[in-house]
């Protein structure tokens, strides 16, 4: 294990051991100040649903969206946000007009997102989809904040840089993806050097029982119809290809430094067990819950405490049984692509992530077929190589170059 990996392992071991010793010092009777990046998306709106359960307990500092100015303005009015930001500058006038007569300040553009990330807040939800959320996440981590991370692409593309920034500033990174939040909960009271195996569970998506020939004809509407979770289009397609599980494997590699060989994926169609941690004494801890993103969001929002939610409680008697299957790498090659990318390291995960975003967008625009998504990612990885990124600027440049290569590959399809 090289020096950086040793530091990361040591830092996380200490974090999990003293997490509750430090918790009492963080609790106050004043409202928790929060910022939500990606407020109009599925994770952002679920977060605000939780805030609505006890609005006096929170003070909203900043809300951001990409281009949905009307929805953002409505949320800013409802929660009396200090600042509302649209990243799409063409929507600034619409946002400003919609918030006239309020105390909410308005701004637009990439720099405005960074300014919002610099504002003092006790807790920040990072839920901007894709690599567009990387710079605001890094700014929040550099400020030493508590960041709830729902943007897997940032950690996939720049995991080493993000973890280094968190260590340097003393920031706390709380995973919101249901699988990583489950692992986080199962590690409380334990140590990463006592872990024998981490198992990420996968629902298998809407095409779990489809043959390759059947998947070749699948439509966008079929791909976004997840059997268990209510998610956005891009994430739903990633679930259908199982690319989301491969990206989560890369995330777990950075968040929980047990070694790539100790992280496994198991298909669990009911989506009740969200992940499992097996310790060296062969005892296994699993986190269970209904397939509702508000549960892991609530875990992060209330951390280090627990909060009441309006989620449906788990009824195992009604579910009846829990089943498990091995991952079929032939029908679903995406997790293997991701495992290879993180094993190779350097810029490979960033290239993979960029290519996947272009391929998924192409599929949603009906420019390629479902099975072409992984083909485009694989071809981009074969065609484009880069030096190891040393900064966020490097990551963004690699992301841009990889997207151009992926677009060229995509152009060869229908």
């Amino acid at each position: 294990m090289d020096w950086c990996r040793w530091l990361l392992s040591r830092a996380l071991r200490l974090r999990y051991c003293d997490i509750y010793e430090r918790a009492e010092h963080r609790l106050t009777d004043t409202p928790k100040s929060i910022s939500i990046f990606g407020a109009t998306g599925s994770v952002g709106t679920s977060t605000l649903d939780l805030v609505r359960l006890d609005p006096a307990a929170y003070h909203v500092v900043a809300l951001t969206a990409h281009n949905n100015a009307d929805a953002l303005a409505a949320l800013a009015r409802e929660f009396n946000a200090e600042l509302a930001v649209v990243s799409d500058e063409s929507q600034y006038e619409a946002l400003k007009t919609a918030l006239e007569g309020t105390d909410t300040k308005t701004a637009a553009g990439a720099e405005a997102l960074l300014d919002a990330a610099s504002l003092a807040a006790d807790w920040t939800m990072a839920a901007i989809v894709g690599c567009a959320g990387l710079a605001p996440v890094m700014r929040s981590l550099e400020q030493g904040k508590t960041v709830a991370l729902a943007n897997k692409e940032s950690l996939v593309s720049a995991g080493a840089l993000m973890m280094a920034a968190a260590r340097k500033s003393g920031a706390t990174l709380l995973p919101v993806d249901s699988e990583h939040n489950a692992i986080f909960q199962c590690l409380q009271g334990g140590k990463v050097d006592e872990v024998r195996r981490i198992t990420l569970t996968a629902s298998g998506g809407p095409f779990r029982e489809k043959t390759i020939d059947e998947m070749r004809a699948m439509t966008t509407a079929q791909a976004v119809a997840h059997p268990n979770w209510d998610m956005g289009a891009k994430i739903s397609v990633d679930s259908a290809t199982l690319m989301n599980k491969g990206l989560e494997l890369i995330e777990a590699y950075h968040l929980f430094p047990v070694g790539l060989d100790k992280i496994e994926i198991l298909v669990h169609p009911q989506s009740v067990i969200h992940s499992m941690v097996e310790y060296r004494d062969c005892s296994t801890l699993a986190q269970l819950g209904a397939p509702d993103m508000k549960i892991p969001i609530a875990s992060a929002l209330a951390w280090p405490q627990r909060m009441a939610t309006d989620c449906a409680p788990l009824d195992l008697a009604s579910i009846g049984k829990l089943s498990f299957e091995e991952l079929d790498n032939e029908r679903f090659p995406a997790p293997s692509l991701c495992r290879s990318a993180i094993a190779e390291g350097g810029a490979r995960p960033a290239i993979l992530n960029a290519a996947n975003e272009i391929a998924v967008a192409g599929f949603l625009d009906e420019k390629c077929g479902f099975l072409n998504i992984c083909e485009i990612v694989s071809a981009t990885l074969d065609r484009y190589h880069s030096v190891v990124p040393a900064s966020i600027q490097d990551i963004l440049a690699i992301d841009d170059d990889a997207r151009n290569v992926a677009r060229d590959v995509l152009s060869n399809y229908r």
Side-chain angles (χ1 to χ4, degrees), residues 2-166:
D2 63 28
W3 181 248
C4 290
R5 292 286 295 154
W6 180 85
L7 284 176
L8 175 56
S9 178
R10 181 176 183 273
L12 285 177
R13 281 203 304 270
L14 291 173
R15 180 161 295 168
Y16 287 121
C17 288
D18 72 357
I19 196 170
Y20 284 101
E21 291 179 10
R22 293 184 289 109
E24 294 302 320
H25 300 291
R26 292 173 176 252
L27 303 180
T28 67
D29 294 327
T30 59
K32 177 181 285 189
S33 59
I34 64 173
S35 291
I36 302 175
F37 289 75
T40 61
S42 60
V43 171
T45 54
S46 292
T47 304
L48 290 169
D49 283 343
L50 293 169
V51 172
R52 287 186 180 97
L53 297 177
D54 188 9
Y58 305 95
H59 169 65
V60 177
V61 176
L63 298 176
T64 84
H66 174 49
N67 58 14
N68 196 339
D70 290 341
L72 179 61
L75 292 173
R77 282 180 175 272
E78 178 183 356
F79 294 97
N80 194 28
E82 292 182 21
L83 175 67
V85 179
V86 281
S87 58
D88 183 349
E89 295 185 25
S90 70
Q91 296 300 307
Y92 175 68
E93 289 301 326
L95 178 66
K96 182 179 178 181
T97 299
L99 285 171
E100 284 181 355
T102 73
D103 293 329
T104 300
K105 296 179 181 179
T106 57
E111 285 299 319
L113 287 177
L114 295 180
D115 291 340
S118 299
L119 295 176
D122 298 324
W123 185 91
T124 297
M125 168 58 78
I128 297 175
V129 175
C131 222
L134 177 55
V137 169
M138 283 296 294
R139 178 63 62 87
S140 294
L141 292 175
E142 290 166 351
Q143 298 280 323
K145 295 182 178 181
T146 295
V147 178
L149 185 66
N151 177 327
K152 61 168 53 72
E153 293 87 356
S154 290
L155 197 57
V156 168
S157 297
L161 295 174
M162 288 177 61
M163 300 308 290

Side-chain angles (χ1 to χ4, degrees), residues 227-255:
N228 299 332
W229 296 92
D230 181 16
M231 305 179 292
K234 194 268 181 184
I235 300 174
S236 295
V237 174
D238 281 347
S239 180
T241 61
L242 264 63
M243 181 65 77
N244 72 319
K245 208 52 53 179
L247 298 178
E248 288 165 10
L249 182 146
I250 296 175
E251 284 186 279
Y253 172 82
H254 290 296
L255 288 168

Side-chain angles (χ1 to χ4, degrees), residues 337-414:
L337 286 173
C338 293
R339 187 178 288 274
S340 296
I342 192 59
E344 294 171 22
R348 305 302 280 169
I351 296 168
L352 177 143
N353 177 71
N356 181 62
E357 289 195 23
I358 294 300
V360 170
F363 171 67
L364 291 172
D365 289 340
E366 300 184 349
K367 295 178 180 178
C368 67
F370 178 75
L371 293 184
N372 299 142
I373 294 173
C374 285
E375 294 174 2
I376 292 167
V377 173
S378 181
T380 303
L381 285 166
D382 288 342
R383 287 177 52 177
Y384 177 59
H385 300 269
S386 176
V387 298
V388 177
S391 67
I392 293 301
Q393 289 70 31
D394 289 346
I395 292 288
L396 295 176
I398 291 166
D399 178 82
D400 188 55
D401 289 342
R403 286 171 189 270
N404 288 332
V405 174
R407 288 188 187 99
D408 186 55
V409 175
L410 174 63
S411 68
N412 294 320
Y413 291 89
R414 65 184 184 191

